[in-house]
């Protein structure tokens, strides 16, 4: 049972901007410096998309950016492309559960 | 390049046991903590367990209630997950992942996953 809440689905036209929210609490997102994001393309394993709130691993387009404020975080996809159709998950660590936690996941449709 | 390859999944009856393996290459396995994460069909990601670089510290999701054991063999560059008293709710794709250091730590890279199906 995830303690990080994301919208179940979002859709947008090519070229548009989408923002995925990730809402947590003072025991997870609010208790740590950063949030991380993963992209899961259909039928594949998750892939690290953003680490430490707004750092992109090599090979990740700069269309993806992240931010964090208090107990929430956001992932923005600018210039949406068809290849961005995937599930997106945020991730933190919950001190009250002593467990790594993932968001509920957001399915992006282009 | 860095590779993580899981194996050991399959169909198993409720109450039985299964051991998953994750063979690693492309980096110094003995220097990194490792994780197991699972994903039930059509569901989200769920952290299962983590182990320190030398195997001395192990961490588990509270919901596991002691049924799973994470371990590693640094001489063979292999991570393990011993699962016992399996239930239908344990049906999922199980991924191994390397730690990324931060506050909090993250998961990168991931293996391709191995499917565990618990069914009578």
């Amino acid at each position: 049972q995830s303690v990080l809440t994301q919208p179940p689905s979002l859709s947008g036209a090519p070229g548009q901007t989408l923002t995925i929210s990730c809402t947590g609490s003072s025991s997870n997102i609010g208790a740590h410096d950063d949030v991380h994001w993963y992209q899961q393309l259909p039928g594949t394993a998750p892939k690290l998309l953003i680490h430490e709130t707004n750092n992109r691993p090599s090979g990740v387009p700069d269309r993806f950016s992240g931010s964090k404020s208090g107990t929430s975080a956001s992932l923005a996809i600018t210039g949406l492309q068809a290849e961005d159709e995937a599930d997106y998950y945020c991730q933190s660590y919950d001190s009250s559960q002593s467990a790594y936690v993932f968001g509920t996941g957001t399915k992006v449709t282009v | 390049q860095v590779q993580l390859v899981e194996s050991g999944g399959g169909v198993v009856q409720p109450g039985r046991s299964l051991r998953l393996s994750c063979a690693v290459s492309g980096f110094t396995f003995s220097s990194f903590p490792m994780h197991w994460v699972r994903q039930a069909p059509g569901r989200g990601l769920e952290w299962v367990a983590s182990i320190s670089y030398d195997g001395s510290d192990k961490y588990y999701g509270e919901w596991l209630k002691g049924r799973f054991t994470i371990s590693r063999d640094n001489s063979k560059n292999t991570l393990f997950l011993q699962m016992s008293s399996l239930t239908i709710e344990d049906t999922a794709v199980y991924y191994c992942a390397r730690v990324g250091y931060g506050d909090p730590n993250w998961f990168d890279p991931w293996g391709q996953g191995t499917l565990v199906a618990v069914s009578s």
Side-chain angles (χ1 to χ4, degrees):
Chain A
Q1 43 286 58
S2 177
V3 297
L4 304 182
T5 302
Q6 299 177 230
S9 63
L10 291 172
S11 64
Q16 284 189 331
T17 296
L18 282 186
T19 300
I20 302 171
S21 61
C22 173
T23 302
S25 68
S26 58
S27 65
N28 42 69
I29 293 178
H32 299 280
D33 291 340
D34 296 301
V35 172
H36 316 300
W37 292 89
Y38 302 87
Q39 177 192 58
Q40 187 174 30
L41 297 170
T44 70
K47 182 189 83 167
L48 180 68
L49 187 69
I50 295 276
H51 64 89
E52 297 169 288
T53 302
N54 195 24
N55 289 284
R56 288 173 285 105
S58 174
V60 174
D62 58 7
R63 301 184 288 103
F64 294 93
S65 63
S67 64
K68 172 183 177 289
S69 178
T71 59
S72 297
S74 294
L75 173 71
I77 311 175
T78 58
L80 201 60
Q81 298 186 7
E83 66 206 52
D84 299 332
E85 276 208 348
D87 293 325
Y88 293 85
Y89 296 91
C90 57
Q91 179 245 312
S92 180
Y93 182 86
D94 192 279
S95 303
S96 64
Q97 297 184 27
S98 297
Y100 291 96
V101 290
F102 292 91
T104 48
T106 299
K107 182 177 183 60
V108 168
T109 303
V110 181
Chain B
Q1 82 264 25
V2 175
Q3 268 199 310
L4 292 78
V5 180
E6 300 93 337
S7 61
V11 181
V12 60
Q13 292 181 325
R16 303 298 292 266
S17 299
L18 201 63
R19 188 175 86 154
L20 306 182
S21 299
C22 170
V24 160
S25 60
F27 67 96
T28 305
F29 178 64
S30 59
S31 296
F32 287 87
M34 297 291 294
H35 305 286
W36 285 99
V37 177
R38 73 181 185 180
Q39 185 172 34
R43 305 292 296 273
L45 302 172
E46 181 176 48
W47 170 74
V48 173
S50 299
I51 187 168
S52 60
Y53 69 97
D54 62 356
S56 61
D57 295 309
K58 304 174 183 181
Y59 310 91
Y60 301 93
E62 288 182 354
W63 48 267
L64 281 174
K65 301 188 191 311
R67 296 184 300 119
F68 291 7
T69 301
I70 189 172
S71 63
R72 64 192 297 160
D73 185 338
N74 285 347
S75 69
K76 297 182 178 178
N77 288 350
T78 305
L79 175 72
F80 301 100
L81 185 67
Q82 178 69 47
M83 305 184 294
S84 62
S85 301
L86 286 164
T87 71
I88 292 176
E89 288 70 37
D90 295 317
T91 294
V93 175
Y94 286 73
Y95 299 101
C96 61
R98 187 181 69 178
V99 77
Y101 289 107
D103 178 32
N105 292 339
W106 64 86
F107 305 79
D108 179 62
W110 299 57
Q112 86 289 350
T114 186
L115 176 62
V116 173
V118 184
S119 173
S120 55

